[in-house]
Amino acid sequence: MSQALNNPTGGAPHRDYGATGESITPEVSFAAPGGSSGFSPTEFMSLSEDIGHNITAVLFSTKQLEKQLKLIGTPKDLPSLRDKVHSINTKTNGRIQTITVDLQRLQAVVRHGDRQQKLQLEKLTREFHNVVEKYSNLQRSISAAMRQSYQRALGSEHESEVSARAELLQQQRQEQAGLQQEHDLLVERQRQVEQIESDIIDVNQIFTKLSGLVHEQGEQMDFIENSIEQTATNVEDGHSELAKAARSRQSYRRKILILLVIAVIIGLIVTGIIVAKLNS
């Protein structure tokens, strides 16, 4: 008898999602089992209806897979799509197994039937063959499309990794350049600090030199002051001598005048020397 539509025979199906692995098309065999006797119209009708219903279900599953095929490689190519394709494949493969068993049984039943019933068997067998061929070809198309989509995603991931590594390397280079720049700035800063410290030392040296010059000029000022005092003393002495000469000798007036002029000239010369030293 026909098995339940949602409970296919055989062990657990291989989880291949109809894409990443090779889809195994159920082997269809029409060898009639032995041990059959007589013809049962009721069994013939039941088997024919079940086979026709399952063929229709396989056709519907094929149309569903065609819709899923159009989504492969698009933004909707998600894990849920692959799960759905796998679920359709699993159920459809189970139906095909069921149809195979039912056709084998129907072949044994119609062995004792009439020509019309045998023609019905040939029709169902032909429809089943066409449906399975279309379904199998579609499975292969989906498998190839998913494999191609996977390869593109793999290549894109590789490119992303290469790009990410390049960006990371560029970032590291930029960071290294930034660190080098900071190091160069610190070196330049150290040079400038040392230069400022050197400037301070030079100023101290200048102050030391100025201190020596001030001391030297102080000595020169003392010399000039002594010279002026000595000149003033000499002038006073000259006046005294002239006064004495005027009192004693009127004849020496001209000589005294000359001496006075000489004293004035000497004073002017000394004064000029003092001014010249101060200006230097």
Side-chain angles (χ1 to χ4, degrees), residues 107-252:
Q107 188 179 24
V109 171
V110 300
R111 182 178 300 173
H112 303 282
D114 56 21
R115 183 173 180 275
Q116 183 177 0
Q117 292 162 347
K118 292 180 180 179
L119 291 175
Q120 179 68 14
L121 173 61
E122 291 178 1
K123 178 183 177 183
L124 291 174
T125 302
R126 185 170 55 254
E127 290 179 356
F128 176 61
H129 180 272
N130 293 336
V131 167
V132 169
E133 185 177 9
K134 182 177 181 180
Y135 168 74
S136 179
N137 291 335
L138 184 58
Q139 276 189 317
R140 291 187 177 91
S141 298
I142 291 176
S143 176
M146 285 191 172
R147 173 62 63 178
Q148 185 178 7
S149 177
Y150 166 74
Q151 293 295 341
R152 286 198 302 267
L154 187 63
S156 177
E157 181 183 14
H158 178 69
E159 292 177 358
S160 299
E161 290 180 357
V162 172
S163 177
R165 291 176 181 175
E167 290 179 359
L168 180 59
L169 181 60
Q170 180 66 20
Q171 183 179 1
Q172 290 177 345
R173 288 177 178 174
Q174 291 177 353
E175 291 177 355
Q176 186 176 2
L179 293 175
Q180 183 63 37
Q181 184 177 7
E182 291 180 1
H183 176 72
D184 294 340
L185 290 175
L186 288 175
V187 172
E188 177 64 17
R189 186 173 180 178
Q190 180 182 3
R191 186 193 66 79
Q192 291 173 338
V193 170
E194 292 176 351
Q195 185 180 41
I196 292 174
E197 292 175 349
S198 176
D199 292 341
I200 295 174
I201 294 174
D202 291 340
V203 170
N204 290 333
Q205 292 176 353
I206 291 173
F207 286 162
T208 302
K209 290 181 179 179
L210 286 177
S211 177
L213 290 175
V214 169
H215 178 72
E216 182 180 352
Q217 288 180 356
E219 292 180 350
Q220 292 178 354
M221 289 296 296
D222 292 340
F223 173 76
I224 292 171
E225 288 178 356
N226 293 332
S227 298
I228 292 173
E229 291 178 355
Q230 184 63 38
T231 301
T233 301
N234 293 334
V235 172
E236 290 179 357
D237 292 342
H239 280 292
S240 298
E241 293 295 330
L242 288 174
K244 290 178 179 181
R247 286 192 300 267
S248 61
R249 295 181 181 180
Q250 292 296 329
S251 62
Y252 293 123

Side-chain angles (χ1 to χ4, degrees), residues 12-77:
H14 176 63
R15 188 176 178 83
D16 59 7
Y17 289 88
T20 58
E22 294 185 357
S23 299
I24 301 176
T25 303
E27 182 179 356
V28 181
S29 175
F30 301 104
S36 176
S37 61
F39 173 76
S40 173
T42 303
E43 186 177 6
F44 174 81
M45 292 294 297
S46 176
L47 288 172
S48 297
E49 290 177 359
D50 289 344
I51 292 171
H53 174 74
N54 282 330
I55 289 176
T56 301
V58 172
L59 282 173
F60 178 75
S61 297
T62 302
K63 292 180 180 180
Q64 285 185 309
L65 290 178
E66 288 175 345
K67 293 180 180 179
Q68 304 307 312
L69 176 61
K70 295 178 181 179
L71 300 178
I72 298 174
T74 69
K76 293 183 179 181
D77 189 357

